[in-house]
Amino acid sequence: MQTPDSLSALFKQKAELVSAVVKEVKTPHEALQYAIDVCERKENCLSLMPALNEPPDANPAKIIAAPALDATLTDAMRALCEKNNIRFLTSGLREHLAGIDIGLTFADYGIAETGTLVLDSSSEEVRLTTMISEIHIAILPQSKIRPDAYHLEDELGKNMRSYPNYTAFITGASRTADIERVLALGVHGPLELHILIIPEPEKERT
Amino acid sequence: MQEAKNLKGYKKEVDDALQNEFLRTAMDNFAVAYRTGRANAFAGMDVEALVADIAAAKDAAIARMDELFEEFKTNAEKIGLKVHRAETASQANAIIARIAKENGVNKIIKSKSMTAEETLLNHHLEADGYEVTETDLGEWIIQLRGEGPSHMVMPAIHLSRFQVADLFTDVTGEKQDSEIERLVKVARRELRKAYVEADMGVSGANFALADTATIGLTTNEGNARLVTTLPRVHVALVGLEKLVPTLHDALLVNRALPRNATGQGITSYVTWITGPNVCGSAPDNKKEMHIVFLDNGRRDLARDPVFAQVLRCVRCGACANVCPVYRMVGGHRYGHIYIGAIGLIITYFFHGRDKAENLVQNCINCGACKAVCAAGIDLPRLIKEVHARIQDESGHPLTSLLMAKVLRSRKLFHTLLRSAYLAQKPVTDESHYLRHLPFVFAQEHNFRRLPAIAEKPFRDRWPLLKTAVSDPEMRVALFSGCVQDFVYPEQLEAAVKLLSDRNIALEFPTDQSCCGLPLEMMGEKKTTREVARQNINAMSSADCDYIITLCASCASHLKNGYAKLFEHDETMTDRVRRFTSKVHPFSAFLHDILKVKADEFKPVPVKTTYHAPCHLCRGLKISEAPHALIELAGLDFRPAQEEETCCGFGGSYSSKFPNISSQILSKKLDDFKKTEAEILVTECPGCIMQLRGGVKKRGDNLKVRHIAEVLAESKRQTE
């Protein structure tokens, strides 16, 4: 019998096999702080279209995009970004196609068998956030982890019937083995994928 | 691409490819790594059941192709998604060009699509003045080089990092070093601008779900996501065979596709797109979205009782990954646009006879592709079927006709073999190898020494060997096959020795002839069936419980091949079923039916390795029995790497493509050498001819023996 904990452990193991970073956080606010910390530690995003950008800034601000957080979390994130001198975006991602530092999203579901995140990305802002960020950080409630994709057929079917729809399965960072079959991460999508699992609250467990 | 005018031209191209050292090393490494990666990816899963489920689901969808198309179209139109169906490749290209024109498109970006390769879409769009950029790294590389893909999943697998570095240096105008990580970043940087500037994105699709008009795309790099998101127009070019009724079918296929393709549990991205989504670059903030379904022969194929199953193909590329010939010559010589075993077949249907007729002869019939196919397609058989069909359409070559004529009459065939013994006399040496090649053999065979025809075939020795058993426990009929009867009768004698003292009535029905597999390999289907009928009659006359054969190829052909040959002939159904159920290869008969025991043998701990004949390990799925027998006989068993890879014989293949055959052989002999074995055991006279000939030519210190011979030698004499 699969318990939430065993599913979560399997999810973690499978996601790590494809180089995802998997952590547990107690609350969404802890996840926000995690995003800030990762952003602080990383080098500035490399502009993929230098010519299209403004003249190089000597000390450009890093960018975190989180277009789909609820109002409370958005406010909290904005405050954290301000405090750390990070630019915070909730929309207008098309203005930043040269690349951003961090994209922060929730995941709708996790698939344990393959360490996969499922994200309804019908919002173009969400879609771009997961595509053009150098590091994609996704928050995944433990209760949303399913054993395999078959267990999500109803949910996915619902997405597909509420057209238009763009649903993404995301497993690890963008990758290629097109040159000499050598694995390299970060081709056209994120260089890194971090998954923050939020355990179920105690009361739901009993 | 197939440009060769005739078989000679094609062979020349193949021989050139064999000289490519980088390609050979890359392919060797890949072949070994793939096997491990695939096994890990499927660990703990019931692969056979999964493949059977996929085959059934795809068959059901193929049978309803038109219906599913209509369902998809109806559902699509409700959500503003425009659906087209193109009868031909050029029609598909024209539709896409028209969409581009109507939408005032200048620049186009593409994600990987084999279907677009099939229609040569880029050529068409570029000729119409559009700037088209491929965004999959491998596809971009080959586009910049003006080449076609050499693999369906890894299109640039034929290139080294150094070649890519040189290419990127030219493209960027800056010196690029050859570190792969950095080369990938060059693509990341160079292509981002192309995504942003493009007005139209063209993708393929792995799945088209009829019930919701959803398309599914599996990718690793993330390029398809940008291609389907950034530009204001999206066109997906999709083969009609990608239509499935529901998401469930797609999820089913997707359990095998990435595991079989690259040993991944799932690709980095699987994208499900239903209808035109929000698009910030479109005037009304809504994507202009089109699906172009491609027929190009698929609807006819779907109705073809023999070939419909090729439409099950999920384009994982596994059939190329395990193919010993692909491994030697690479994809540009092992396909036209579609590569590997499936390419050998569908080239005929999608690109025509002239592109397929040489290609289709380059199958060694080892069955490695069939064993890994995600959709259970009987690839080797269908390759032979295409070959036969092409010969029926455009005429049979003289050698093939001649062989058919000879083999139709057992007496004529055996008379010719007997006279060949006399003709070869001046050119054999004491070791019973042909000292020089008789004129009938071309110089190209000389990569191995060929054995001589025996002075006295087994059929002439049999009357002296035969013993009467009064009240037998079982009746067994021996099917010799031509090679053992006329070249290696001692192998059959060894078998007779092993079966003596067991209360077995052994028969050798003398009306038996060649099993017919060589004829089938040459595309002579009609005679193949005639010869099969003769053998069924001959063997049935013995009224036996078991039919055993020491030749793995004969065994597999008698058991599986005959069943297929008569599958549509109801008058033969019962006879064929009775016949095939009695057929057993020698090692399986000894191990599984006679259940021989270790105390029947005197242990001789000589280092011994084993070659698994293709038609035994894959054709009949027998891998363990020969291992067990080697150990029961007390030999010191040293398994070789890639034990189940073909030795390169393939019957007439080795005379048609001697240079490929010789390279495959040489790799095998290297693997055996590493085991330090003194004896190499196998269970097929064809393999023995190839391996012994190679050992003799190289002067390796290795005795190549049939398993019956080593067992007979170790057998304890009964008191």
Side-chain angles (χ1 to χ4, degrees):
Chain A
M1 180 59 197
Q2 278 158 322
T3 64
D5 284 341
S6 73
L7 274 183
S8 180
L10 180 63
F11 178 92
K12 183 172 193 291
Q13 181 208 341
K14 294 294 181 180
E16 283 173 349
L17 273 180
V18 288
S19 316
V21 177
V22 185
K23 303 272 183 209
E24 237 182 57
V25 292
K26 296 277 176 299
T27 62
H29 284 86
E30 203 181 307
L32 303 187
Q33 186 58 49
Y34 179 90
I36 298 286
D37 294 344
V38 170
C39 190
E40 287 289 296
R41 276 201 306 274
K42 83 184 278 292
E43 279 180 33
N44 268 60
C45 171
L46 194 72
S47 170
L48 298 177
M49 296 187 296
L52 300 185
N53 274 14
E54 296 149 18
D57 191 332
N59 194 12
K62 291 176 181 171
I63 301 175
I64 295 182
L69 302 180
D70 65 26
T72 322
L73 288 175
T74 302
D75 289 344
M77 194 62 190
R78 182 172 288 118
L80 278 173
C81 284
E82 260 169 38
K83 194 172 124 196
N84 290 281
N85 196 24
I86 294 169
R87 218 172 138 190
F88 179 57
L89 301 176
T90 56
S91 63
L93 269 292
R94 273 200 184 252
E95 304 305 311
H96 299 272
L97 296 178
I100 60 170
D101 290 280
I102 306 273
L104 178 66
T105 69
F106 272 86
D108 298 327
Y109 298 98
I111 299 173
E113 185 183 46
T114 47
T116 299
L117 299 173
V118 179
L119 243 98
D120 184 336
S121 315
S122 302
S123 144
E124 193 180 66
E125 302 293 2
V126 170
R127 218 181 311 156
L128 288 173
T129 297
T130 66
M131 292 179 193
I132 64 170
S133 54
E134 285 193 342
I135 300 178
H136 175 202
I137 301 175
I139 305 166
L140 172 65
Q142 189 183 351
S143 60
K144 296 295 184 70
I145 301 177
R146 301 286 180 271
D148 56 40
Y150 290 146
H151 282 81
L152 281 170
E153 272 181 57
D154 289 347
E155 292 82 350
L156 292 167
K158 221 165 123 193
N159 279 6
M160 289 169 183
R161 283 181 177 80
S162 61
Y163 54 87
N165 183 270
Y166 197 111
T167 294
F169 287 9
I170 299 175
T171 311
S174 151
R175 62 180 52 215
T176 188
D178 271 355
I179 304 175
E180 293 190 12
R181 291 187 314 105
V182 174
L183 178 67
L185 294 180
V187 199
H188 301 294
L191 312 173
E192 293 177 25
L193 174 68
H194 296 222
I195 301 167
L196 307 177
I197 299 178
I198 301 191
E200 286 159 89
E202 287 299 325
K203 61 177 189 305
E204 283 178 29
R205 289 202 162 200
T206 49
Chain B
M1 290 264 181
Q2 293 302 307
E3 307 295 349
K5 294 274 175 290
N6 49 36
L7 187 60
K8 199 173 159 204
Y10 175 60
K11 281 158 87 165
K12 168 81 177 59
E13 290 177 356
V14 163
D15 289 348
D16 289 346
L18 286 171
Q19 305 305 316
N20 184 338
E21 274 299 315
F22 168 78
L23 185 68
R24 290 289 315 285
T25 313
M27 291 294 176
D28 278 345
N29 293 339
F30 175 42
V32 175
Y34 170 73
R35 220 165 278 145
T36 317
R38 179 181 187 272
N40 291 341
F42 278 116
M45 290 171 74
D46 183 347
V47 186
E48 248 176 69
L50 177 60
V51 168
D53 288 350
I54 291 172
K58 290 291 286 187
D59 282 349
I62 293 161
R64 292 178 54 210
M65 185 181 273
D66 286 351
E67 207 182 309
L68 291 176
F69 170 77
E70 291 303 332
E71 188 186 341
F72 188 101
K73 190 166 191 275
T74 308
N75 289 326
E77 279 162 359
K78 283 185 212 155
I79 57 175
L81 166 59
K82 291 160 192 151
V83 175
H84 313 256
R85 181 165 67 191
E87 249 177 70
T88 63
S90 57
Q91 257 184 36
N93 295 343
I95 291 170
I96 296 170
R98 197 182 67 223
I99 296 168
K101 193 170 175 212
E102 284 170 2
N103 287 280
V105 165
N106 290 313
K107 294 185 178 181
I108 298 171
I109 42 166
K110 271 194 73 251
S111 61
K112 193 163 143 31
S113 157
M114 278 310 295
T115 314
E117 295 284 350
E118 173 186 335
T119 67
L120 298 172
L121 176 63
N122 290 2
H123 294 62
H124 188 110
L125 293 174
E126 282 165 1
D128 280 4
Y130 298 103
E131 191 181 316
V132 186
T133 308
E134 291 284 353
T135 57
D136 173 82
L137 175 57
E139 286 284 335
W140 188 51
I141 291 169
I142 60 168
Q143 183 191 31
L144 291 171
R145 287 173 57 95
E147 289 178 327
S150 63
H151 189 281
M152 293 204 287
V153 177
M154 289 160 291
I157 193 174
H158 59 292
L159 298 172
S160 73
R161 65 188 75 190
F162 305 103
Q163 286 167 293
V164 176
D166 289 348
L167 178 72
F168 283 6
T169 300
D170 289 346
V171 169
T172 59
E174 287 167 44
K175 177 78 190 147
Q176 302 293 344
D177 82 33
S178 59
E179 199 201 318
I180 289 172
E181 190 83 21
R182 288 192 207 177
L183 291 170
V184 169
K185 294 297 176 290
V186 171
R188 181 181 173 88
R189 201 173 56 236
E190 292 293 317
L191 287 170
R192 185 58 62 92
K193 201 159 148 257
Y195 289 114
V196 175
E197 290 176 352
D199 313 292
M200 177 162 125
V202 176
S203 75
N206 297 87
F207 314 105
L209 318 182
D211 68 338
T212 53
T214 301
I215 58 167
L217 293 133
T218 66
T219 67
N220 274 316
E221 297 184 2
N223 57 323
R225 286 156 41 92
L226 288 164
V227 164
T228 56
T229 294
L230 291 180
R232 58 193 160 83
V233 183
H234 171 206
V235 181
L237 176 60
V238 187
L240 280 169
E241 80 283 11
K242 300 285 166 49
L243 280 160
V244 288
T246 64
L247 172 69
H248 186 83
D249 304 283
L251 293 177
L252 172 69
V253 170
N254 205 41
R255 287 180 77 73
L257 173 57
R259 291 182 167 93
N260 221 35
T262 52
Q264 291 175 275
I266 193 168
T267 50
S268 302
Y269 304 106
V270 184
T271 304
W272 306 98
I273 305 173
T274 312
N277 277 272
V278 177
C279 178
S281 58
D284 54 357
N285 210 28
K286 191 176 172 192
K287 179 87 78 183
E288 172 81 15
M289 186 178 174
H290 297 256
I291 313 266
V292 180
F293 282 103
L294 178 65
D295 177 355
N296 198 25
R298 288 165 171 82
R299 293 175 70 208
D300 286 341
L301 261 178
R303 288 188 287 266
D304 188 312
V306 177
F307 288 101
Q309 58 169 289
V310 301
L311 294 172
R312 291 181 196 160
C313 175
V314 300
R315 309 280 186 259
C316 66
C319 57
N321 299 353
V322 298
C323 173
V325 181
Y326 172 83
R327 176 170 172 179
M328 294 296 146
V329 302
H332 288 148
R333 298 290 164 257
Y334 210 61
H336 175 56
I337 284 168
Y338 291 102
I339 311 295
I342 191 71
L344 265 55
I345 302 166
I346 58 180
T347 296
Y348 171 76
F349 293 100
F350 293 169
H351 296 105
R353 191 168 68 210
D354 59 322
K355 302 293 182 203
E357 62 188 351
N358 300 317
L359 199 55
V360 77
Q361 300 183 54
N362 200 358
C363 166
I364 201 165
N365 195 32
C366 72
C369 50
K370 182 183 172 184
V372 297
C373 177
I377 305 171
D378 193 351
L379 295 154
R381 183 171 71 88
L382 295 180
I383 292 169
K384 285 181 273 180
E385 292 279 355
V386 173
H387 187 196
R389 213 178 255 208
I390 290 177
Q391 286 201 172
D392 287 347
E393 286 169 1
S394 60
H396 294 225
L398 193 60
T399 46
S400 176
L401 281 174
L402 215 58
M403 182 147 164
K405 199 173 162 59
V406 168
L407 284 178
R408 199 169 291 139
S409 156
R410 179 191 70 75
K411 285 187 181 148
L412 173 60
F413 175 46
H414 286 169
T415 308
L416 280 173
L417 281 174
R418 285 173 199 273
S419 52
Y421 166 70
L422 298 172
Q424 77 194 353
K425 270 229 141 154
V427 290
T428 49
D429 59 21
E430 301 69 40
S431 61
H432 300 290
Y433 283 90
L434 294 177
R435 196 151 34 92
H436 306 292
L437 290 165
F439 65 96
V440 289
F441 292 112
Q443 185 62 35
E444 285 174 320
H445 292 249
N446 208 15
F447 64 88
R448 61 187 170 189
R449 302 289 302 276
L450 286 168
I453 306 268
E455 185 179 356
K456 204 172 179 187
F458 180 78
R459 56 180 56 241
D460 293 357
R461 303 179 189 201
W462 171 245
L464 294 175
L465 296 168
K466 189 177 174 177
T467 50
V469 180
S470 55
D471 185 20
E473 215 172 288
M474 58 174 80
R475 295 179 175 279
V476 175
L478 187 58
F479 185 89
S480 68
C482 352
V483 180
Q484 273 170 335
D485 192 354
F486 284 87
V487 180
Y488 299 130
E490 66 277 10
Q491 295 170 7
L492 295 162
E493 287 178 331
V496 173
K497 182 180 168 191
L498 280 165
L499 297 179
S500 62
D501 322 321
R502 282 186 183 274
N503 205 19
I504 293 173
L506 190 63
E507 254 318 317
F508 180 77
T510 47
D511 278 349
Q512 60 179 284
S513 186
C514 168
C515 69
L517 179 62
L519 283 164
E520 189 168 64
M521 287 289 288
M522 295 182 90
E524 295 295 333
K525 215 176 161 188
K526 194 161 157 274
T527 317
T528 308
R529 212 175 272 127
E530 277 178 43
V531 169
R533 207 183 287 264
Q534 287 171 23
N535 281 325
I536 292 173
N537 287 340
M539 300 310 284
S540 303
S541 70
D543 186 29
C544 57
D545 308 310
Y546 300 98
I547 297 169
I548 61 166
T549 172
L550 278 72
C551 171
S553 297
C554 291
S556 150
H557 190 57
L558 295 180
K559 207 171 176 70
N560 303 329
Y562 281 20
K564 284 286 171 199
L565 282 172
F566 296 104
E567 67 183 339
H568 301 300
D569 184 349
E570 282 173 21
T571 63
M572 290 291 284
T573 312
D574 289 341
R575 296 197 65 195
V576 171
R577 195 176 300 139
R578 265 200 311 279
F579 174 85
T580 56
S581 67
K582 289 180 183 175
V583 175
H584 294 271
F586 189 67
S587 59
F589 180 70
L590 284 191
H591 186 258
D592 303 337
I593 292 165
L594 294 187
K595 300 189 193 305
V596 296
K597 296 189 183 61
D599 61 14
E600 296 174 39
F601 302 97
K602 307 181 289 279
V604 200
V606 185
K607 288 177 198 156
T608 303
T609 189
Y610 173 68
H611 164 66
C614 299
H615 295 154
L616 192 68
C617 66
R618 284 179 294 274
L620 295 162
K621 297 198 163 61
I622 290 168
S623 299
E624 286 317 307
H627 291 176
L629 290 172
I630 290 170
E631 287 183 334
L632 281 176
L635 295 157
D636 174 10
F637 183 37
R638 306 282 180 104
Q641 249 186 9
E642 298 199 71
E643 172 188 279
E644 296 196 341
T645 300
C646 179
C647 67
F649 180 62
S652 53
Y653 182 89
S654 61
S655 44
K656 199 177 266 177
F657 293 99
N659 294 335
I660 298 174
S661 172
S662 115
Q663 297 269 9
I664 297 175
L665 172 61
S666 153
K667 176 80 183 53
K668 285 296 291 190
L669 294 179
D670 291 344
D671 286 343
F672 296 132
K673 198 157 201 170
K674 283 182 214 145
T675 67
E676 297 177 357
E678 294 164 50
I679 298 178
L680 166 61
V681 171
T682 186
E683 196 180 335
C684 180
C687 301
I688 291 180
M689 191 185 285
Q690 173 88 346
L691 294 165
R692 210 181 261 178
V695 165
K696 185 89 181 162
K697 183 83 187 174
R698 277 173 41 149
D700 285 357
N701 182 26
L702 185 67
K703 286 198 189 84
V704 185
R705 313 299 305 275
H706 193 281
I707 193 160
E709 294 178 287
V710 291
L711 294 176
E713 278 157 26
S714 308
K715 191 186 175 195
R716 280 185 203 277
Q717 297 303 318
T718 42
E719 302 309 315

